[in-house]
Amino acid sequence: MRVVIADDSGLLRGGLARLLAETGTDVVAAVGDAEELVRAVAEHEPDLAVVDIRMPPTYTHEGAKAAVELRERYPELGILLLSQSLESRYVVDLVRAHPERFGYLLKDRVVDVEVLVQAMQTIVAGGTVLDPAVVSHLMGNNGLADQLDRLSSREREVLELMAQGRSNAAIAADMVIDLRTVESHIARIMTKLDLHPTADEHRRVLAVLAWLRT
Amino acid sequence: MEVRRARSLAVVAAAVEAVTFAAIVIADRGLAWAGRPDLISLRDEVWLVLIGIVASAVVGFAIARSQPLHPVGWLFLGLAGAMLFSGVCEEWARWGLWARPGSTPFPRLVAVIGDSSFIPWLVLVSLILLLTPTGEHLSHRWRVLARVVVAAGSLSFCLGLVSARVLSAPYDKVTNPWVVEAVQPTADWISYLSLLVVAGGLAASGVSVLVRWRRSSGDERRQLLWLALAVVPLPLFVFAAFALSRAGFPALTVVATGGFVVLVPVAAGLSVSRYHLYDVERLVAATVTYVLLSIVLVLTYGTVVWLGARSAEQWSVSPAVAATVGAVAAAAIAEPARRGIQRAINRRFNRRQYEAIRMVRAGLVQEGAGLDIERLFRQALGDPGVAVAYAGPVAGEWVAATGATAPAPDTSIMVTHRGREVARVGFDRRRNEADTVSAVAQVAAAELDNGRLRAELARQVAEISSSRQRLSEAQRDERRRIERDLHDGAQQRLLALAFDLQSARLSGDAGRMRAALAEGATAAQGAVRELRDLANGLHPAALADGGLPAALDDLARHSPVAIGLDVQVGRLDPGVEFTAWLVIGEALVNAQKHAQAGQVRVAVARDERLLHIQVCDDGRGGASEDGPGLRGMRDRVEAAGGTLQVVSRTGAGTTIEAVLPCGS
């Protein structure tokens, strides 16, 4: 997999590049701001861009904005946004607008190489990845507490993983349960929450997110 | 847009009338140079008509300029125009018929027109009386009267042009070139009857004014008083004018006609332009004052000189000495005499002040608690620009009722209460005299003193709320800075460390892992140090452990500037210690960053109740008290109930003195 990294901190950029190299990923470029990112993507046409949300000059959402622009120009480009602090609202809006080949993880999550590699693979395969912190933040919404009570704890676990963009197989592996059990859990969740069942994974994420945002 | 155009039109009309007036006067004087001084018309009683023209034009211009939509202004300009038209006809006919026969075309015809040209005067005066002061007819019936007068006037004027009657002197030998024999003498009679209708209408218009006056009250009644007085003798004027002209006394006719033509514009002008009645009273008062003053001075001078002349016979004093002594005596009493006379006259004539004081007194009694004293003054003084400002806590600082700093007015008077200045009243010099405003405001001095206290309270509340807002903004900025420091500093170091350890582990290479661990330990130490510095900046451990002496000692050790410490305090309330530490820290940062000081002296001492902090540097000074740094410092100190003083003259260093209450 060919990857471009964009992060304004040289320290982190280097660390992340080394880490990815160790996992056998081909880091074709590591850049420090949004403009360089656009140039690097044009030059290398990578499979995935790993982008820090905060970048110069204002250190707000430059990275994310550049990533959205890149997505419009290169629909096949996978995008993994990283941030140090939780940016749930902004990121959920982004995911709803661009659910395919899109992911968001906290940087400390990325230290876990397996999570990182799995997320990259999901994204490049066309899926969606959302940091569990975002999902649990949404689940913590007070208005939802009553409705979530209708779910069993198992079902809630499955819902969280669904919201993170996991496939049925990944959920089964993660929870160490049978794939069919996962499917029946999902069917029950969908009925209880009045969601339309769909095979398409990123559509499922959207439905769950929409429900969580209410 | 329309109003502006109407105003320019008024200027143009007045200018044309002024030029015409001048032309008539020149043409009239020209008769003398042409060798016919006997033909000069502007003499004897005609001056009254000239005054009438000037009065109408001036009043008309003034009203049309200030109230372009008011018909009376334009009617006055028309009246002046009609009178000027008569004058033009007069000069035209005299030159063409006698002074230089043939110098003007159609002189006979113009003489005929001129003979009837007084009719429009009467019609216009009638309309003016009907429409003053509102610009509207009193009722529909009066509107009909106006139409009848206009119709009768037009008919009389037109029939006069074809009538065979003998013109009034000196045109009694002139024959009318337009005479229509077929309609004689009926036309002449109808013309005369119409003229009687106009005269009757004019008298009735006067009645309209009286009816208005009778129905009016308050301000409007005062407005109409002058006009009502002027129209009372109107029927007499009309009757006299007709009787005299029939009896062949042209001079007296002019006096009778001109009399009310002069009176009406003045009275109507006063009526329409409302409050300016007072100005007339003021003018009258000033005139009387100066006339009396002149008499007193002349008498004094005369008496002294006369006494001097008498004594000259006995002691041979020269007349020059007597004159000098007289002049000196007159000069010496001039100012006190003026003041005395003015005061006496004002007491009698200064109705405005009297009325205003009465209004303020009534307002004070009536309104009680919710009193808007500024509005009351504005009403009483007839000046919408009256601005009341109250004495602030610092001498020379004035605040509005809202507590905001009040801008300095062009002209103002001070109000004192119990020996201290409590308020300043700004006013428009063109509308009131300082004495009047002073006298009126003094009536409300006690209320103004209350207003001062309220304004001071409002000012303090405003100051507190803005200081609170600044503090919360400063706090927000501080939090943002800390977030950024954490994000860019320790958090990033630790993340990078995690990445590096992880990649070393993944590589499986023992040497690389050892190196990564060693680097990792160093990086972790760095991160810890960074976190410690950050925490120390938030609230130094030294302050918690050893109080101000320890914290300031730390501060001095790590400062790049030489700091002389003189700290004579032990432990204090933690809140006070923290505020003191922040203020001193901020002052030290300012001294090295902005003032480029080489040496700073910090002194801290306390007495029973107060902690005194002084920070002096030898930097370049000139610090702005309104800058965010010093303002933030002041806000902190004031929030803790203390005071802050900054002396920072350019080139002479900066001294900051803070006093904080420190309890027992």
Side-chain angles (χ1 to χ4, degrees), chain A residues 9 18 22 54 84 111, chain B residues 483 487 491 500 502 512:
Chain A
S9 156
R18 277 194 293 280
E22 291 301 338
R54 282 207 215 182
Q84 238 161 264
V111 175
Chain B
E483 195 266 354
H487 182 275
Q491 217 179 346
D500 285 343
Q502 187 70 279
R512 219 185 123 187

Side-chain angles (χ1 to χ4, degrees), chain B residues 322-586:
Chain B
T324 311
V325 172
V328 169
I333 68 160
E335 184 51 28
R338 187 196 67 79
R339 238 181 289 137
I341 294 171
Q342 181 115 56
R343 210 172 299 140
I345 297 282
N346 278 350
R347 248 202 310 276
R348 215 159 272 283
F349 285 91
N350 203 339
R351 295 278 302 168
R352 153 151 241 180
Q353 185 172 321
Y354 172 77
E355 292 279 344
I357 287 176
R358 211 189 46 166
M359 203 165 175
V360 168
R361 284 221 172 98
L364 288 177
V365 172
Q366 229 173 48
E367 306 221 8
L371 174 70
D372 181 349
I373 202 149
E374 193 170 67
R375 208 184 60 197
L376 184 60
F377 283 173
R378 283 177 181 176
Q379 278 171 355
L381 294 168
D383 175 0
V386 165
V388 176
Y390 300 96
V394 184
E397 190 184 295
W398 297 92
V399 294
T402 54
T405 306
D410 289 340
T411 41
S412 62
I413 54 99
M414 298 296 166
V415 184
T416 53
H417 184 62
R418 294 190 182 155
R420 65 177 291 179
E421 284 184 348
V422 294
R424 181 187 70 188
V425 182
F427 62 98
D428 187 344
R429 209 173 16 182
R430 289 164 301 181
R431 291 186 193 259
N432 285 289
E433 277 171 1
D435 290 348
T436 309
V437 180
S438 237
V440 171
Q442 202 59 48
V443 171
E447 183 56 37
L448 285 170
D449 198 18
N450 288 342
R452 178 182 66 81
L453 296 173
R454 279 197 296 272
E456 170 61 15
L457 199 63
R459 192 193 63 78
Q460 283 186 8
V461 168
E463 175 57 35
I464 286 169
S465 83
S466 84
S467 145
R468 190 185 288 167
Q469 192 184 344
R470 285 197 301 268
L471 274 177
S472 99
E473 272 166 24
Q475 198 175 28
R476 204 188 55 214
D477 288 349
E478 183 90 353
R479 280 171 175 258
R480 198 175 296 157
R481 188 183 61 75
I482 294 166
E483 195 266 354
R484 218 166 23 232
D485 282 355
L486 284 170
H487 182 275
D488 297 346
Q491 217 179 346
Q492 239 169 46
R493 274 174 190 279
L494 290 171
L495 265 177
L497 169 60
F499 286 154
D500 285 343
L501 291 175
Q502 187 70 279
S503 45
R505 183 179 69 85
L506 286 180
S507 74
D509 177 62
R512 219 185 123 187
M513 274 194 271
R514 263 199 299 282
L517 283 174
E519 277 168 30
T522 317
Q525 274 174 339
V528 167
R529 200 175 308 122
E530 216 164 288
L531 284 171
R532 192 181 52 218
D533 286 349
L534 189 65
N536 216 33
L538 294 179
H539 194 285
L543 188 63
D545 297 342
L548 271 180
L552 293 180
D553 190 53
D554 259 18
L555 214 55
R557 276 172 208 282
H558 295 108
S559 166
V561 196
I563 295 179
L565 281 181
D566 175 17
V567 184
Q568 305 293 340
V569 292
R571 293 310 301 261
L572 302 162
D573 172 79
V576 178
E577 281 182 342
F578 183 60
T579 306
W581 177 78
L582 276 178
V583 168
I584 294 168
E586 176 92 28

